[in-house]
Amino acid sequence: MGFLEDFQASLESLPAMLQRTYGLIRELDTSLLASQRQSEQHCEQEIDEIKRGIEAGNVAPDMSLIRFSDEALEEQKHCIRVADEKVALATQAYDMVDTHIQQLDQYMRKMEELRLERELSAAASPGGTPDVTTKSGRTGASGRGGRKKARQAAVELLNIDLELPVDPNEPTYCFCKQVSFGEMVACDNPDCKIEWFHYGCVGLKEQPKGKWYCPNCVGLPKRKKGK
């Protein structure tokens, strides 16, 4: 499969993946706000109890000995975990877009190289007549006909056959539903319906450390406190 087809296939799935990722971030944000309010209320209650204990003489006024309960501390840790998950999703969304931009830059560089090769080949051929730029900045094939030829050349350049033969029976993977190529990563959710993904389609540039979940599965595990 040609690079352009691969890029188009992965690009088609990008909006849906971004929409899902942003939806998960919104869900996490709602959950985080509720957890923060609950944690703040819990801490305020414990602070009031500590103040009353000090006033009644039941609690030593030694700040080094005063601490929140394990439950209150666990609520705070839960908020931090949810916030970290939000950051991870935001980073994943950024990397997905950045990867596609880099792929497009790579494609444009390749097309520019092919264009220069064609021009050099045309100039070196016996009947070749390289374009001559006039002082006005227009080529010798100026005007309407020149622009039409330029458009035709651009179309021909985009249609250059860069494809490799693909077995029609070969299984497909990832959101782009393409065959295996390049570097791929497996989702750690054993029930993932897709399982394998191309790095570029999920915004990865290197092998992820630890467990990795695809955008479809990252929001599935229950976020229970203490886990």
Side-chain angles (χ1 to χ4, degrees):
M1 178 168 289
F3 177 84
L4 180 58
E5 288 74 14
D6 291 341
F7 178 75
Q8 287 176 331
S10 64
L11 189 63
E12 287 175 358
S13 62
L14 181 62
M17 288 191 294
L18 289 176
Q19 185 176 8
R20 178 173 177 79
T21 301
Y22 294 151
L24 291 172
I25 291 175
R26 283 194 294 270
E27 291 176 8
L28 286 173
D29 195 48
T30 302
S31 172
L32 179 59
L33 290 174
S35 298
Q36 284 177 330
R37 284 194 294 268
Q38 180 179 341
S39 177
E40 289 171 359
Q41 291 172 358
H42 197 161
C43 290
E44 288 173 359
Q45 290 174 359
E46 293 194 4
I47 290 173
D48 290 339
E49 291 174 1
I50 293 171
K51 287 180 178 179
R52 286 194 296 269
I54 293 175
E55 292 172 356
N58 298 326
V59 178
D62 186 350
M63 298 303 296
S64 63
L65 300 177
I66 298 175
R67 62 187 298 273
F68 289 116
S69 66
D70 291 339
E71 184 180 356
L73 293 174
E74 185 56 39
E75 287 176 347
Q76 294 173 7
K77 291 178 181 178
H78 173 72
C79 291
I80 293 174
R81 286 194 293 269
V82 175
D84 288 343
E85 193 169 352
K86 279 180 56 182
V87 173
L89 284 171
T91 302
Q92 186 183 67
Y94 174 88
D95 288 342
M96 281 193 289
V97 175
D98 184 59
T99 298
H100 282 80
I101 292 174
Q102 292 185 24
Q103 288 177 338
L104 181 59
D105 288 341
Q106 177 185 349
Y107 171 72
M108 295 302 293
R109 285 194 297 269
K110 181 64 177 178
M111 298 311 295
E112 179 64 16
E113 292 173 3
L114 292 173
R115 184 186 67 82
L116 292 175
E117 288 178 4
R118 282 195 161 192
E119 289 183 355
L120 291 174
S121 297
S125 62
T129 54
D131 289 342
V132 178
T133 304
T134 64
K135 292 182 179 179
S136 63
R138 298 181 180 178
T139 61
S142 60
R144 214 183 233 177
R147 286 194 293 272
K148 184 176 180 181
K149 290 180 180 179
R151 284 196 298 270
Q152 290 175 343
V155 171
E156 291 175 1
L157 200 56
L158 288 173
N159 290 331
I160 293 176
D161 186 10
L162 299 175
E163 297 186 356
L164 296 175
V166 176
D167 183 355
N169 298 320
E170 187 174 354
T172 58
Y173 307 91
C174 193
F175 295 113
C176 63
K177 301 186 185 303
Q178 302 300 325
V179 298
S180 172
F181 64 86
E183 293 183 290
M184 300 185 69
V185 61
C187 178
D188 280 307
N189 178 11
D191 298 323
C192 180
K193 295 181 180 180
I194 301 178
E195 188 178 3
W196 285 95
F197 302 83
H198 304 105
Y199 274 24
C201 293
V202 291
L204 291 177
K205 299 177 182 177
E206 58 185 18
Q207 182 68 28
K209 298 178 181 178
K211 291 186 178 297
W212 179 86
Y213 296 93
C214 73
N216 283 349
C217 298
V218 69
L220 294 181
K222 299 288 185 181
R223 299 184 186 85
K224 295 182 179 179
K225 297 178 182 178
K227 290 188 178 180

Short mmCIF file of all heavy atoms in Angstrom, two decimals, residues 118-132:
data_model
loop_
_atom_site.label_atom_id
_atom_site.label_comp_id
_atom_site.label_asym_id
_atom_site.label_seq_id
_atom_site.Cartn_x
_atom_site.Cartn_y
_atom_site.Cartn_z
N ARG A 118 11.84 14.18 -11.73
CA ARG A 118 11.16 14.23 -13.03
C ARG A 118 11.67 15.40 -13.86
O ARG A 118 11.87 15.28 -15.08
CB ARG A 118 9.66 14.36 -12.82
CG ARG A 118 8.98 13.04 -12.45
CD ARG A 118 7.49 13.15 -12.62
NE ARG A 118 6.86 11.85 -12.71
CZ ARG A 118 5.60 11.65 -13.08
NH1 ARG A 118 4.84 12.68 -13.39
NH2 ARG A 118 5.10 10.43 -13.13
N GLU A 119 11.86 16.54 -13.21
CA GLU A 119 12.35 17.70 -13.95
C GLU A 119 13.75 17.45 -14.50
O GLU A 119 14.06 17.81 -15.64
CB GLU A 119 12.34 18.94 -13.05
CG GLU A 119 10.95 19.47 -12.73
CD GLU A 119 10.99 20.73 -11.89
OE1 GLU A 119 12.11 21.13 -11.48
OE2 GLU A 119 9.92 21.32 -11.63
N LEU A 120 14.61 16.82 -13.67
CA LEU A 120 15.97 16.52 -14.13
C LEU A 120 15.96 15.50 -15.26
O LEU A 120 16.73 15.61 -16.21
CB LEU A 120 16.80 16.01 -12.95
CG LEU A 120 17.13 17.03 -11.85
CD1 LEU A 120 17.83 16.35 -10.68
CD2 LEU A 120 18.02 18.13 -12.41
N SER A 121 15.07 14.51 -15.15
CA SER A 121 14.98 13.50 -16.20
C SER A 121 14.49 14.13 -17.51
O SER A 121 14.98 13.81 -18.60
CB SER A 121 14.01 12.39 -15.78
OG SER A 121 14.50 11.72 -14.64
N ALA A 122 13.51 15.05 -17.40
CA ALA A 122 12.99 15.71 -18.60
C ALA A 122 14.05 16.59 -19.24
O ALA A 122 14.17 16.66 -20.46
CB ALA A 122 11.75 16.54 -18.23
N ALA A 123 14.85 17.26 -18.41
CA ALA A 123 15.90 18.14 -18.94
C ALA A 123 17.01 17.33 -19.59
O ALA A 123 17.65 17.79 -20.55
CB ALA A 123 16.46 19.00 -17.81
N ALA A 124 17.28 16.12 -19.07
CA ALA A 124 18.38 15.31 -19.60
C ALA A 124 17.99 14.53 -20.84
O ALA A 124 18.86 14.07 -21.59
CB ALA A 124 18.86 14.34 -18.52
N SER A 125 16.68 14.36 -21.10
CA SER A 125 16.24 13.60 -22.27
C SER A 125 16.49 14.41 -23.54
O SER A 125 16.54 15.64 -23.50
CB SER A 125 14.75 13.27 -22.14
OG SER A 125 13.98 14.47 -22.10
N PRO A 126 16.66 13.72 -24.73
CA PRO A 126 16.99 14.42 -25.98
C PRO A 126 15.98 15.51 -26.33
O PRO A 126 16.34 16.59 -26.77
CB PRO A 126 16.99 13.30 -27.03
CG PRO A 126 17.28 12.06 -26.24
CD PRO A 126 16.64 12.26 -24.90
N GLY A 127 14.71 15.24 -26.15
CA GLY A 127 13.71 16.23 -26.53
C GLY A 127 13.22 17.04 -25.34
O GLY A 127 12.22 17.74 -25.44
N GLY A 128 13.95 16.94 -24.22
CA GLY A 128 13.49 17.60 -23.01
C GLY A 128 13.64 19.10 -23.10
O GLY A 128 14.63 19.62 -23.61
N THR A 129 12.66 19.81 -22.61
CA THR A 129 12.72 21.27 -22.59
C THR A 129 12.35 21.73 -21.18
O THR A 129 11.18 21.81 -20.83
CB THR A 129 11.72 21.89 -23.59
OG1 THR A 129 10.41 21.36 -23.32
CG2 THR A 129 12.11 21.57 -25.01
N PRO A 130 13.35 21.95 -20.33
CA PRO A 130 13.06 22.38 -18.96
C PRO A 130 12.35 23.71 -18.95
O PRO A 130 12.52 24.53 -19.85
CB PRO A 130 14.46 22.49 -18.32
CG PRO A 130 15.39 22.68 -19.48
CD PRO A 130 14.80 21.92 -20.61
N ASP A 131 11.55 23.93 -17.92
CA ASP A 131 10.83 25.19 -17.77
C ASP A 131 11.81 26.34 -17.64
O ASP A 131 12.83 26.25 -16.97
CB ASP A 131 9.95 25.15 -16.51
CG ASP A 131 8.77 24.22 -16.70
OD1 ASP A 131 8.47 23.91 -17.87
OD2 ASP A 131 8.18 23.81 -15.69
N VAL A 132 11.49 27.44 -18.32
CA VAL A 132 12.31 28.65 -18.26
C VAL A 132 11.51 29.72 -17.55
O VAL A 132 10.42 30.07 -17.98
CB VAL A 132 12.72 29.13 -19.66
CG1 VAL A 132 13.53 30.41 -19.55
CG2 VAL A 132 13.48 28.04 -20.38
#
